[in-house]
Amino acid sequence: LNVSDDPSLSGCLLYFLQPDPGITSIGRGGPNSIAPNNVVLEGLGIPTRLAEIQYHDAAFEGMGRCLRIVKVSGVNERGRLLVNGRPLECGEANPVGHGTRLVFGWAFCFRLIVPGSSESVPEDVTFAYFSTEVLQYSMTTTMGSSDVIKAVSQWSSDLERRGYGIEDRESIMEVVGEIMVSVEEGNALCEEVHRAWPEAAMVNLDVGLSIPFLAVPPPLPHATPKPPKRPVEVVIQVWRLIGREQRLLAAWPAWDFERRLQGLRDAHREVVRGTQEDGARWAWRLAREDWWIAAGLSEAPGNASNAEAIPEGTALPAALAAVATGGSEADEAARTA
């Protein structure tokens, strides 16, 4: 049973599991696919076959026949599966039961309902509940990784040396922990877009701190109050990968990242699910560094500027030039269906 950020849409998707001993498969592959699934979902982080829900004999645990979910997608497929907020690794199995919370990819949240179960589960499981659970687990695991521990230790020492108190430092690290889930989604979006259209720039997002270097200028005579110390900003670094080289294109402030992330989601939707013409147009735009640096992510989807044509005389790779003149009616019908 689905759980949506729009309460009116929660409970609108209902999928029945295959009866024992059947296996319920979840993935992008539909009935016409080489590997069709019982539950077909399309979106970021959902490969052709993401997971399977199986029955297994747990008599040795005193529980009889039980359900478990197994993540079957390969590492290179970048599938995402969370069970009660915890991500599963490829090939990992996890028991599931009445009330288990499942997240497939980056957009589909479900609760497993087992009629007649005696298990006690909370009834008010909303989309916010899912989000908080995922965020808390992500902050715990992310801030506990060795690389992040080293970075946090270095940042904290530098901030302390510059006169920032313990409360300021803890507040900054809290923002870092909260933004990591969104950064992970942003990197997944960038990777899928580049895989669909290699002509688009290969970009990777990272988290950093913008620490003021120059001292705050002294106040003018008789001016009050004294200017406050400039705050440290958590920023999202935008790195372009060119061969073995990496170049920093931009640093987006964390407080504005959700808006820019929405721009990436719009680009991903048009590139992956739109027409060939849409894909070519977006690939051209995403190959331009100025789109990443400045205004590209501030444009609302559907604006005329967002659908600008590729300028005449622009030198295009063959893959883009072949489709830059327009898409077929069939493509357009598929996109609007």
Side-chain angles (χ1 to χ4, degrees):
L1 192 67
N2 78 305
V3 178
S4 173
D5 55 345
D6 183 346
S8 66
L9 298 179
S10 290
C12 292
L13 290 178
L14 178 63
Y15 294 98
F16 291 95
L17 303 184
Q18 296 295 301
D20 191 8
I23 294 176
T24 303
S25 58
I26 303 100
R28 182 177 292 177
N32 297 324
S33 170
I34 297 177
N37 295 284
N38 306 108
V39 178
V40 179
L41 303 173
E42 292 190 7
L44 181 65
I46 301 180
T48 302
R49 176 67 59 84
L50 172 62
E52 294 178 350
I53 297 179
Q54 311 167 344
Y55 293 87
H56 72 114
D57 192 353
F60 65 95
E61 301 173 9
M63 300 174 64
R65 296 286 284 174
C66 295
L67 288 168
R68 67 180 179 185
I69 189 167
V70 183
K71 184 178 180 182
V72 298
S73 61
V75 175
N76 294 332
E77 294 180 287
R78 302 290 192 238
R80 184 175 189 253
L81 170 62
L82 280 67
V83 179
N84 293 335
R86 185 180 74 85
L88 263 60
E89 301 295 332
C90 297
E92 182 180 357
N94 196 95
V96 294
H98 182 60
T100 296
R101 298 168 298 283
L102 303 171
V103 179
F104 301 109
W106 290 89
F108 295 96
C109 302
F110 288 87
R111 292 180 65 196
L112 184 62
I113 306 299
V114 180
S117 173
S118 59
E119 296 181 59
S120 176
V121 297
E123 295 296 330
D124 56 342
V125 178
T126 62
F127 185 82
Y129 187 101
F130 273 80
S131 301
T132 301
E133 183 176 58
V134 172
L135 176 61
Q136 289 177 343
Y137 187 87
S138 176
M139 289 181 64
T140 301
T141 55
T142 298
M143 300 306 282
S145 70
S146 58
D147 289 341
V148 174
I149 288 175
K150 292 178 182 177
V152 168
S153 177
Q154 182 177 344
W155 287 343
S156 183
S157 299
D158 196 14
L159 292 172
E160 184 178 9
R161 187 171 63 253
R162 293 171 182 268
Y164 291 90
I166 182 66
E167 291 186 1
D168 291 331
R169 302 200 300 273
E170 288 181 348
S171 177
I172 291 168
M173 293 307 113
E174 184 176 349
V175 174
V176 171
E178 291 175 350
I179 205 73
M180 289 302 295
V181 174
S182 296
V183 171
E184 185 182 354
E185 180 186 355
N187 279 325
L189 289 166
C190 292
E191 185 173 341
E192 277 208 7
V193 166
H194 187 265
R195 188 184 302 128
W197 283 95
E199 294 79 10
M202 183 60 183
V203 169
N204 186 263
L205 308 179
D206 201 352
V207 179
L209 297 184
S210 176
I211 303 176
F213 179 74
L214 299 177
V216 177
L220 297 173
H222 311 297
T224 57
K226 181 180 178 180
K229 180 181 293 186
R230 291 190 179 107
V232 174
E233 289 283 352
V234 178
V235 297
I236 313 306
Q237 300 172 341
V238 183
W239 293 89
R240 181 170 188 178
L241 313 180
I242 306 176
R244 295 187 177 183
E245 297 182 0
Q246 300 187 46
R247 183 167 72 251
L248 182 65
L249 296 182
W252 301 335
W255 55 265
D256 192 40
F257 184 53
E258 181 58 36
R259 178 175 65 91
R260 296 175 182 269
L261 184 62
Q262 186 58 53
L264 282 175
R265 291 171 182 147
D266 293 336
H268 173 270
R269 181 178 61 253
E270 295 296 324
V271 169
V272 176
R273 303 181 63 182
T275 65
Q276 285 284 296
E277 182 183 4
D278 292 332
R281 184 185 301 118
W282 272 105
W284 171 73
R285 290 168 62 81
L286 298 177
R288 296 160 47 194
E289 293 187 352
D290 62 329
W291 191 88
W292 297 94
I293 294 171
L297 295 174
S298 65
E299 298 165 359
N303 282 354
S305 59
N306 223 21
E308 64 180 311
I310 301 174
E312 293 184 10
T314 301
L316 297 175
L320 293 185
V323 294
T325 56
S328 67
E329 293 183 1
D331 284 338
E332 180 65 20
R335 184 175 66 86
T336 57

